[in-house]
Amino acid sequence: MDAMLVRHFFTTTAAHGGRAIRGLALQTRGRQGRLWTRDRRQCSDVAHKAGDGCGMQRLHHEAAATSTSVGKPPAPSLYLRTKRGDNAGEELEAQPLDMDQPYPAQTDDGYHTLSFYSFFEMTEQTVGALRDRMQTEWGASNSSILSDKPKDTLGVVGRIYVCGEGINAQLSVPTQNTRALRQWIETDRTLRGRIPRFNWAIEHRKAFKALHVRARPLVAAGAHVDMETLRHEPEYLDPDQWDHELQAMKEADSGTELAPLVVDMRNNYEARIGRFEGAVCPDTDTFRDELDAVRSMSPDKKRPILMYCTGGIRCSVAGAVLRADGYETVKTLAGGVIAYGRHVRARPAGAAPSLFHGKNFTFDKRLGEPVTEHVLAECDQCGSPCDAFTNCANTSCNLLFIQCADCAEKHHRTCGSSLCIERASMTHEQLIANRMGPLWDYRSRIHPEKVFGRDWIARVEKLAAAAAAQSKQNGS
């Protein structure tokens, strides 16, 4: 039989203006023999069975209270699932569809921006199937799983990485589909019960152009990090606990040899526009370099380490690696600067000031969201106070740098070289006809302070000539 199609319809209520929507459960085996299914079982509320609130929150609190002694991995937490996410594993019970509420009240353009990650084992086959399902059913202009009639899907845009150790996602979702996204997750056999509460952005708008689902490592660690290592989790602190730790450090004698080390685990350019008081910001460009810097700053494995990053996953991985290496006390800010920024925004008037100053850098077209009004950086072109990152409008240059509004107008949103100004004004057809390779390698592109200088225009022209010659040679 070339194709077999079995439909199961179920009715549920979603946040589409309070109306009921019909969900289409499909099980089909097509020409390529691929099997995919939507479970018709309704999501149940595990909070009643937990007896003390949402089951996932209970696990999180248990993990925070667990000893972090070497050789004894903590109990399962918000981010780690010990049960596999494929046919070799046991199905988890669905979580409540309303677990992500309250939803953000205001959005700029009808989109919620959010992120999530989770660690659990999958086979290569399961990873590929999950990638295909999400790309097809979360993206645009395909048959919807939430209707028995062909129409747009969830309309999700963003970036998702899946691999044998779990999933890492940064997304923008139409507000009317946010609850439907959770419904999809909790009816998918691989993801059901494995995705924690969404980590809402500080500011909401459509932050991506399209949806890209990739089978690749969750973090660019430079080496494979397996589940055995990830089970050595760091201790997760909520924003209040994090503030308490930093405040206690400020009041204590920081000159002691084993004073806690607070480390910014983000890339060096991210800390330019925002960082925590007292944090060490290593001048590194890769995850492996950051870990080496931490080990160098803290050779004594008894020294407490506190780390933070953008949304939490980098510190979850780094903390696990360090604990597996024998570091006794490793703590991290749960949800990263994103969660802390929301916490700061929600504080009542007269509350203690934020210990994070400035903006949180984001890897999307926003390139940052403000946590406080502090401006920590300067325009790379004129030196005026500024914290607005941009990329040179010449995509062959694509230099990442800080540019004020006046310089953006003056230099046509480019780095300022005559070459880049000229190419930024070209049509798409002209750019195709005058193709040019990248001018900078990765390290140079993210270090504008090393690019800008007395002779930098001459260097750009020289690089452009070499790139043009190379493109011409490749085309001949």
Side-chain angles (χ1 to χ4, degrees):
M1 182 181 293
D2 288 338
M4 180 181 67
L5 187 64
V6 181
R7 289 183 173 86
H8 301 286
F9 296 94
F10 64 92
T11 302
T12 186
T13 300
H16 291 62
R19 64 184 175 85
I21 61 173
R22 299 182 68 201
L24 173 62
L26 291 175
Q27 180 174 327
T28 177
R29 192 182 303 275
R31 293 180 180 177
Q32 296 179 347
R34 175 173 170 241
L35 181 68
W36 60 281
T37 182
R38 272 298 146 273
D39 196 308
R40 61 186 296 186
R41 183 171 57 189
Q42 292 185 350
C43 298
S44 59
D45 192 337
V46 299
H48 295 299
K49 295 186 178 181
D52 58 349
C54 175
M56 304 319 298
Q57 294 176 347
R58 177 173 56 85
L59 288 175
H60 174 58
H61 293 313
E62 288 176 357
T66 302
S67 169
T68 57
S69 58
V70 177
K72 183 181 180 183
S77 80
L78 193 61
Y79 306 107
L80 179 68
R81 304 292 180 270
T82 56
K83 294 181 179 178
R84 298 177 60 90
D86 50 35
N87 291 332
E90 196 177 331
E91 286 194 38
L92 297 183
E93 189 170 9
Q95 301 171 108
L97 297 185
D98 293 327
M99 66 180 290
D100 306 298
Q101 292 197 23
Y103 296 151
Q106 298 292 332
T107 66
D108 292 341
D109 57 3
Y111 277 82
H112 285 143
T113 299
L114 59 96
S115 59
F116 62 80
Y117 66 93
S118 182
F119 303 120
F120 56 93
E121 287 185 275
M122 290 184 282
T123 63
E124 184 176 345
Q125 182 179 6
T126 301
V127 168
L130 176 62
R131 175 199 60 205
D132 293 344
R133 287 200 304 276
M134 289 190 295
Q135 185 69 67
T136 301
E137 300 175 22
W138 289 21
S141 301
N142 287 291
S143 298
S144 173
I145 63 163
L146 301 177
S147 170
D148 57 348
K149 297 179 181 179
K151 66 173 187 178
D152 286 348
T153 58
L154 296 177
V156 173
V157 293
R159 178 175 55 244
I160 305 174
Y161 299 149
V162 289
C163 70
E165 289 73 43
I167 184 170
N168 179 22
Q170 297 88 43
L171 310 171
S172 288
V173 186
T175 54
Q176 71 271 20
N177 290 343
T178 303
R179 192 173 189 271
L181 174 63
R182 172 58 67 179
Q183 177 184 327
W184 194 103
I185 289 170
E186 298 306 328
T187 54
D188 183 82
R189 189 189 190 284
T190 302
L191 297 184
R192 179 191 299 127
R194 291 179 170 87
I195 304 303
R197 190 176 189 274
F198 296 154
N199 191 11
W200 301 111
I202 302 170
E203 291 188 341
H204 294 270
R205 62 178 180 272
K206 187 178 180 181
F208 305 89
K209 293 181 179 180
L211 177 65
H212 299 284
V213 187
R214 303 280 188 256
R216 53 154 289 176
L218 307 185
V219 173
H224 180 64
V225 179
D226 58 22
M227 288 298 297
E228 185 59 36
T229 298
L230 291 172
R231 289 188 175 94
H232 292 80
E233 290 193 289
E235 179 180 347
Y236 292 103
L237 305 179
D238 64 32
D240 280 328
Q241 294 170 324
W242 179 262
D243 269 356
H244 177 76
E245 292 275 354
L246 296 192
Q247 197 61 43
M249 284 179 53
K250 290 171 63 176
E251 297 171 359
D253 180 9
S254 60
T256 59
E257 191 172 323
L258 290 181
L261 174 67
V262 182
V263 187
D264 188 326
M265 292 299 292
R266 303 172 301 164
N267 295 312
N268 67 315
Y269 54 86
E270 298 176 67
R272 289 186 66 192
I273 60 173
R275 51 191 176 270
F276 276 100
E277 293 181 14
V280 176
C281 305
D283 185 12
T284 56
D285 301 322
T286 67
F287 183 86
R288 177 178 289 179
D289 289 345
E290 288 165 350
L291 282 176
D292 289 343
V294 172
R295 293 185 180 106
S296 176
M297 289 184 287
S298 182
D300 190 335
K301 295 183 178 180
K302 294 182 181 293
R303 184 182 186 184
I305 297 173
L306 281 74
M307 55 176 60
Y308 67 91
C309 55
T310 304
I313 186 169
R314 182 177 284 243
C315 288
S316 288
V317 175
V321 170
L322 291 174
R323 288 202 65 250
D325 284 351
Y327 283 83
E328 296 186 8
T329 305
V330 183
K331 302 179 182 181
T332 183
L333 176 59
V337 181
I338 294 174
Y340 189 87
R342 288 199 320 272
H343 177 73
V344 169
R345 294 280 187 96
R347 283 177 173 174
S354 170
L355 297 181
F356 183 94
H357 298 164
K359 272 185 176 180
N360 176 42
F361 184 92
T362 58
F363 291 90
D364 52 48
K365 63 183 183 181
R366 296 173 299 163
L367 290 178
E369 49 187 1
V371 176
T372 70
E373 296 180 356
H374 299 84
V375 178
L376 307 186
E378 298 176 342
C379 173
D380 284 316
Q381 291 175 309
C382 72
S384 63
C386 182
D387 58 7
F389 266 108
T390 190
N391 290 103
C392 179
N394 174 16
T395 55
S396 294
C397 176
N398 204 33
L399 187 71
L400 179 67
F401 64 105
I402 295 175
Q403 185 180 56
C404 68
D406 289 342
C407 286
E409 182 178 0
K410 176 181 178 181
H411 301 295
H412 304 277
R413 302 193 178 280
T414 71
C415 62
S417 71
S418 58
L419 167 79
C420 292
I421 292 174
E422 178 185 359
R423 290 186 65 83
S425 64
M426 288 182 178
T427 65
H428 177 70
E429 291 72 20
Q430 289 173 324
L431 289 173
I432 294 296
N434 296 275
R435 230 170 248 168
M436 180 177 292
L439 300 182
W440 312 106
D441 58 31
Y442 171 73
R443 289 180 184 270
S444 297
R445 193 180 70 79
I446 63 173
H447 283 281
E449 74 281 2
K450 297 178 181 179
V451 172
F452 289 110
R454 192 171 293 178
D455 66 336
W456 81 279
I457 296 287
R459 280 186 287 145
V460 171
E461 303 295 351
K462 184 177 179 180
L463 285 166
Q470 184 63 46
S471 297
K472 185 176 181 179
Q473 181 180 349
N474 293 340
S476 59

